[in-house]
Each structure stands twice: as C-alpha cells, then as structure tokens.
Amino acid sequence: MVSSVVSYRRVGRVGVITVDYPPVNAVGVGVRSGLRSALDAGLADAWADILLLTAAGRTFMAGADIREFGKPSQPPILPEVIAAFDASAKPIVAAIHGTALGGGLEVALACHFRVALRSAKLGLPEVKLGLLPGAGGTQRLPRLIGPAKALDMILSGDPVTAATALELGVIDAVDDGDSALDAGLRLAERALAEGWAPRPTSARTDKITDIDPALFADRRAALAKRAPHLFSPHRCVDAVEAAVALPFADGVARERELFFACMESPQRAGLIHSFFAEREVAKIPGLPADTPKRDVRAVAVIGAGTMGGGIAMCFANAGFSVRLLDAAAESLDRGVQAIRRNYEASAKKGKLTDAQVESRMALIRPTLSYDDLADADLVIEAAFENMEIKRRIFAELDRVCKPGAILATNTSTLDVNAIAAATRRPQDVVGMHFFSPANVMRLLENVRGAQTADDVLATVMDLARRIGKVGVLVGVCYGFVGNRILHQRGRESMALVDEGASPQQADRVMTEFGFPLGHFAMTDLAGIDVGWRIREERRKSGDPDAQAVNWLDALAEQGRYGQKTNAGIYRYEPGSRVAIPDPAVDAMIAADRAKRGLVPRAVSDDEIRDRCLCAMVNEAAKILDEGIAARPVDVDAIWLHGYGFPAHRGGLLFWADQVGLPVIAEAIDGYHARFGGSHWELSPLLRRLVLEGRGFRDL
Ligand code: T1G
C-alpha cells in the first residue's frame, strides 16, 4: 500500500496501481496522493516496463469526491496528478469497470491506453453538478474524439457504453471478461509484445485541427434555447473551444479558470444539494438500514386507467410480473392497449427493441378476478379517487390476499388510515403515491400509515430504488407533502390572477425562475378536470375549506380540461403541447372578477414570484413542524423529482436558505398583514429558525 486507499504491486513486468476506496473510489485527497505515490513507485520500479491503473470494488473511479467541494482544496490537486500520468516515461494502461466518471475518467484519459469491460459505462457528468470537467477532460477528450463528439458527452453529462466509447475512440479495447485487472493485464502484455511507447493524449492534435468555429456558435445558440438559466453548460463550450484554439497548457489553464467560475456559481451548490438529496431521502431516520424487507416478486395493480397502466409499466420495466385488474373487460382492454401503445412509441424512438416491448407486455397479465391476486406479494390500488370505492377494494383485498402481502394505495389526497381501517391488517397497508405519467415521473411518495409496519416501510423504500424511482417517506395528511405545497402555489396563483395578473404572466415568471412549466400550464397538462372533480367532491361534502366556484371551474364545466381537450387555460393545436394564450379565457377571468367585484391592478413579476414561493416555503415549514416530512431534504427531493423545481436552485428549502429565512419570514408576515388567512400565518418553525439564526440546512 502506498496510501490507505491506493496500492502498488508488480505482476510480471507490469506495475499495477489499484485504487480501493469504497463505495465508488471517489477521487478524494487520499486517492490523489496515493495515485501520485503509486506512479512514482512504478516509475522507480526497474522491473516494471509498463504500468496498469485499475480499481477494486464495484467500480472504477466515479469522479472527484463531491463531498470535498466548497472546502479548501488539499494538495496534490487532481490536475497535477493527471499531468504526471500523462507525462509518464513508461506506457500506462487504464482498465475500466463499472462507471468511469468525471475526474475518474479524466485520470484514465491521461493514461496512454484504455480498455473497458463490456458492461462498463464512461462519462463526464460534471455539468449535472453545475461544473465542467476540471482536470483536463475538456482538453483531452476533444483530442481523442473531436470537439463535436466531446461536446455531446460533456453537455449531456450522460455516460456512454464501452462499445460506444470504443466506436468514438475514447478507449482502445473492450474486454468480454469480468475482471478489469485481467483485461488490463491482457492489454499491457500486448503493448509490451508490440512495443507500444507512451502516447500522451495531450500531444494529439489530429482531431482538433481545421475545426469550423461555427460548431461553438451553434452549440451556444442551442444552449440559449435549451438551458437559458444554466451557467456551466456555456462554460463547457468555452473550455472545449479553448482546446481547439489554444496550445494544450494554455487550454488547461483556461479550463481551470472556467472550472472555478462554475465552482463559485450558486448553481453548483444547488445541483450538488440535489445530487445528495436524491440519495439522502433513501435513508429513513429511525429505520435502521438493515431493517428486514418482505420478499416482493409478484405484483398486482388494481385499475387499468392512466395511473394504473403507468404503475404496471414501472414494475414490468424492472422485470416484475404484474397482474393488472380492472372491474370491466372493456376498460381492462383499453388499459392494456394504452400500455402497448406507450411501449411501441418508445420502440419507435429507439428506446426499446420490439423484443423488449413483447417481453414487457408478457409480464403484464390482465385479469378481471380478485382470486388471481391471491399470490401477490404487493398490490397497488389505483382506482377512482373515491373513499367508498377504495374501502370496498381494500376489504376485498383483505379477503383474497395471502398473509404478509403488502396492500398499497395510490391515493393522492385521501386518508390512508381510513383506507387501512377497511382491512384487518392495517400494519400491511401503506400509501404509494405515484406521479403522472407514472412510468416517467421519478418521484414516489411512500405514505406511512399510523399502523404501517417497519418492514413494509423498508420494503417500499427499497422497491422505489428497484423501479428507478426516488422514494420519499411522508406522513398522512391532505395532499401529503407534494400536493399540499402545490395547493398553496395554486391558491396564490389564483389569488394573483384575481388581483390583476394573467395566467400567462404568472407562468412566465415561474418558467423564468426555472420551472419547466408554470402553474397554469401544468394544470392544463395534468387536466383541469382532476382538480375540479376534487373541488366538486369537497363542495358537495360541505367541506368548510372548499373553494368557491371560479373561472377555472367554469372552464371545466365547458369541457375545457386542458391539453387532453386541446383547450383549457390555453389553447393547443391538435397534437401540439405548445400553449397558446386564448382571449376567451382572459374574458372569462375579467367577467369572473367583475362578478365578484374585484378591481384588477398591475401585479409585478417580483410579487408573483415571491408570493408563490413564500406560500410554498411557509406550508413546507408547517409540514416539517407536523412531522409529515422528516427533513427539509425530503421536501426538496419531492419538489425536484415530482414538480419540476429547478435543480440548479437545489430545491425549495435549499433556495429559501439561500435567500435567507429572515427575508422570507418578513415577507410572509407582510402578506399576512395584507391578505390575512391562516395560510399566511408564519409557521412556528420558520419563526423559531429566524429567532435562533438558523436555516433549514441546520435541521
Ligand atoms: N463523491 C462522493 N461521494 C459519492 C460520489 C462522488 N463522486 N459518487 C457517489 N458517491 C456516494 C453517494 O453519495 C452514496 O453515498 C454512495 O457513494 C453510493 O452512490 C474534477 C469536478 C457512481 C453512478 O458526478 O453518479 O469529477 O448515500 O447511491 O446508484 O472534473 O453515485 O451511500 O452515503 O449513487 O450505484 C463527477 C456521481 C464528480 C458521479 C453510483 N462524478 N456519482 O451510483 O450508488 S465531479 C459524478 C454517481 C468531478 C472533475 C469533477 C453515482 C454512481 P451514500 P449511489 P449508485
């Protein structure tokens, strides 16, 4: 061992450098200094004619240690270590398995030859963290594969397969073995036998000569459309342009400047918070990581509608056999056909092969009989949002399902405990709240009922990971966490329109903030009828909090449900999702205001942004105070993965901390003084944090 996490040894005439720093061999200070010492050991080893860099564990180096960012950097810095590898007097082979990402791939690019196992993935995901490849990646990759292909990899941040990496020229060989060390030794032996000399990537120029500058102008123009808010993608283009325009050393210096500009950008902190939020929410306070889980192989879904179909696809995509039950043959057939259409659309886009379409369809087995659910390990009910219907279904499940089966409801608003009470096994009942379209949206709110057993919670949190979702555990209340906060944004957006704003203005403010869609365009996407039916249910049930009928309800009464009817708050050309403002709706809003005696005024963009976000933050603080969400990071992950909160802002409560809770609390107190209403009463938690000079990050 030349350091606690890097070793050097010789195998024949090959000096083998092995990184071993679980879980993902992140290139932190220990790995950097270990790499440096190991390289020196290899260069000094008279018996070693060639060097081999590899890693132990499940993956090659998966990038710089993200936890070190924002802290004072400790020598040696990665570019220095990498420059030493590039300049090595002995040829160096890198052998890759798992995921060679970011700084890890940059180390491999500084080696002279690269081999990867066929199952390996290679990528530069820094842009997803608000950064750019800051250890030579923007200078070496273009020298290997050309600036256009390099920009494709760097701007998407997505990894490529080993086969694609070979095709592109990132690596020299793909090995079908299952040991990176053996693959590396094979390539090293071949290099020795054929007398391969060191081949520093920094010296390569054939791929960066005579490049049309229009390439960079085109990429900048495309970015201005695709990611107008984001800082680092534009810096990535600057860096690759420097690789073409400048000598290597100057290009590396320019890359470093741009890297630090990204490091300083608040977007970096936001995106790294989002990265860790997604991982942190999987760990449940008070539920040990080794809590036993129930064995789930056979899944059943009740309701073949939009949600049920999407949920069935999630499990089939992950290889589960799925029973899909519906009350009527006709709706069952319709549901199965919709699933097939969905898969065939993916196949048309090249995302699936025809064989994959058929194998997933084969996993989804329709049925009209509850008796076919007797062997299910997990049943997810996705029927109509009506308490009576759901209780009837759960009573039936209680009758037919085997002991130990998990009974889950996909309700988005109803009381999970009341549903559980329809069974004799409430400990097996849990909420699994998917988001539409369920086969696309990554968020899964797992809802802990008052009696839900710990092993059920551990199982559904693990299942979220297995079906590629971000599972977040929440408590029972109306709308759980996501929809309860959404309700406040909706209420405030409607109030702002009452006062004089237009839906278009409110939506523009939200998209300029970074949301993919504003509240009203999102309502058109989800369907105005969904909210309208829930409001009608509450009005009919005499709920005191039920909203009075307004212009949005009037749209629904006219059958304007949004995108699905090509008309809602906006108009849509058939087959298009482009929202077209409709003067008829402006007229309805004006008429509604007049009917209610409201006199419109000019409303500023700042007021719209601040009132909508403050209403959301205040509600989120109340949710934390009630324990419905355990940590601020849970709220952030829910809005990042379920409601399009801009990741470069880190999440709702991360953003609130950036703004400063005293500023937010003062604004909320101001709105309470102006508008009244319990929703503007400052959450006790927010007041406490301000008094204590703390932020959500301190919770
Ligand atoms: N640094 C620190 N910790 C990391 C890490 C990293 N790069 N990658 C993963 N972890 C932790 C993670 O938080 C989790 O911890 C555990 O490892 C397992 O991860 C100079 C500037 C590699 C594909 O962006 O994409 O290099 O929760 O749950 O699903 O140019 O992790 O168990 O405590 O995600 O199997 C670029 C980030 C850095 C890759 C594995 N690299 N990682 O996925 O496991 S910037 C990245 C991933 C850079 C240079 C620049 C994934 C993975 P815990 P996991 P997984």
Side-chain angles (χ1 to χ4, degrees), residues 23 58 62 64-67 103 106 125-126 133-134 275-276 279 283:
R58 63 183 168 133
D65 191 334
I66 303 171
R67 294 177 202 278
E106 289 174 295
E126 285 86 345
F275 173 86
F276 283 121
R279 286 153 180 81
K283 304 162 192 159

Side-chain angles (χ1 to χ4, degrees), residues 33 78 105 199 228 241 249 262 272 284 309 321 341 367 375 423 431 449 520 534-535 594 644 648 651 674 679 681:
S33 54
L78 191 51
L105 179 57
R199 185 191 62 176
E241 187 176 40
C262 294
I272 288 182
I284 308 300
S321 78
R341 273 198 309 279
T367 179
D375 295 332
T423 73
F520 295 104
I534 293 173
R535 289 192 296 275
H648 68 271
R674 252 170 87 186
H679 57 276
E681 279 165 19

Side-chain angles (χ1 to χ4, degrees), residues 445 478-492 519 612-613 615-621 623 629 634-636 638-639 643 652-653:
E445 273 184 329
Y478 187 82
F480 310 130
V481 173
N483 282 349
R484 184 171 154 184
I485 294 172
L486 179 70
H487 178 69
Q488 292 305 329
R489 186 182 77 174
R491 184 197 41 68
E492 201 54 28
H519 189 78
C612 287
L613 290 164
M616 294 164 69
V617 171
N618 199 30
E619 194 65 23
I623 287 171
D634 296 290
V635 175
D636 284 347
I638 285 170
W639 266 74
Y643 301 84
L652 178 65
L653 301 182

Side-chain angles (χ1 to χ4, degrees), residues 76-91:
I77 58 167
L78 191 51
E80 283 166 17
V81 175
I82 282 181
F85 272 74
D86 188 283
S88 165
K90 295 183 179 179

Side-chain angles (χ1 to χ4, degrees), residues 525 562-567 571-580:
L525 175 68
Q563 283 194 16
K564 57 185 155 190
T565 55
N566 295 329
R571 254 182 346 93
Y572 302 84
E573 297 299 337
S576 161
R577 290 177 180 275
V578 178
I580 306 163

Side-chain angles (χ1 to χ4, degrees), residues 181-484:
L181 175 62
D182 295 347
L185 290 171
R186 273 191 285 276
L187 190 67
E189 295 301 340
R190 193 175 132 211
L192 285 174
E194 297 173 14
W196 294 359
R199 185 191 62 176
T201 314
S202 57
R204 310 264 301 258
T205 57
D206 52 314
K207 292 279 173 60
I208 56 168
T209 310
D210 301 333
I211 302 299
D212 179 352
L215 165 68
F216 304 108
D218 296 349
R219 294 302 175 112
R220 288 191 174 99
L223 277 176
K225 275 211 205 83
R226 180 173 65 78
H229 318 286
L230 299 182
F231 180 75
S232 77
H234 300 270
R235 303 295 77 77
C236 289
V237 178
D238 299 343
V240 174
E241 187 176 40
V244 168
L246 301 173
F248 182 76
D250 298 348
V252 165
R254 178 76 180 125
E255 174 195 88
R256 207 72 192 147
E257 274 170 29
L258 294 162
F259 177 74
F260 281 113
C262 294
M263 267 294 200
E264 299 312 312
S265 152
Q267 297 190 358
R268 184 267 301 170
L271 286 157
I272 288 182
H273 175 80
S274 310
F275 173 86
F276 283 121
E278 182 181 330
R279 286 153 180 81
E280 210 55 35
V281 291
K283 304 162 192 159
I284 308 300
L287 196 71
D290 60 1
T291 300
K293 302 177 185 66
R294 298 192 188 178
D295 187 18
V296 175
R297 297 164 198 261
V299 175
V301 176
I302 299 184
T306 311
M307 288 308 294
I311 296 169
M313 291 174 73
C314 289
F315 284 90
N317 296 349
F320 290 85
S321 78
V322 185
R323 273 280 184 202
L324 180 61
L325 181 143
D326 205 293
E330 196 214 334
S331 45
L332 187 57
D333 290 350
R334 212 177 26 245
V336 173
Q337 281 156 26
I339 292 173
R340 175 170 284 283
R341 273 198 309 279
N342 228 317
Y343 278 137
E344 284 170 353
S346 299
K348 251 211 207 90
K349 294 185 200 138
K351 292 186 181 157
L352 287 179
T353 64
D354 293 343
Q356 286 171 320
V357 171
E358 294 316 320
S359 66
R360 292 176 193 201
M361 287 307 296
L363 284 170
I364 299 174
R365 295 172 302 143
T367 179
L368 294 168
S369 165
Y370 273 85
D371 296 336
D372 286 339
L373 277 51
D375 295 332
D377 304 307
L378 165 70
V379 182
I380 304 175
E381 165 275 317
F384 196 58
E385 191 72 349
N386 174 285
M387 182 57 87
E388 260 344 282
I389 293 174
K390 291 186 189 288
R391 285 174 56 86
R392 260 203 315 274
I393 290 172
F394 273 73
E396 188 63 2
L397 292 176
D398 197 18
R399 183 183 67 78
V400 298
C401 290
K402 66 181 179 184
I406 296 175
L407 310 180
T409 172
N410 178 54
T411 182
S412 56
T413 58
L414 300 175
D415 183 348
V416 173
N417 295 320
I419 295 171
T423 73
R424 288 155 300 165
R425 47 174 123 177
Q427 74 284 0
D428 299 335
V429 176
V430 67
M432 291 181 80
H433 178 212
F434 289 78
F435 288 75
S436 181
N439 56 309
V440 177
M441 295 301 287
R442 291 195 64 212
L443 178 65
L444 174 57
E445 273 184 329
N446 284 327
V447 187
R448 175 202 301 250
Q451 296 173 53
T452 306
D454 281 357
D455 65 343
V456 170
L457 297 176
T459 306
V460 293
M461 289 303 289
D462 183 56
L463 274 172
R465 187 185 55 74
R466 289 168 64 189
I467 61 173
K469 302 290 184 195
V470 176
V472 184
L473 190 64
V474 300
V476 174
C477 70
Y478 187 82
F480 310 130
V481 173
N483 282 349
R484 184 171 154 184

Side-chain angles (χ1 to χ4, degrees), residues 602-619:
V603 180
S604 74
D605 290 359
D606 288 353
E607 182 175 356
I608 292 173
R609 185 197 57 236
D610 296 348
R611 278 172 57 180
C612 287
L613 290 164
C614 284
M616 294 164 69
V617 171
N618 199 30
E619 194 65 23

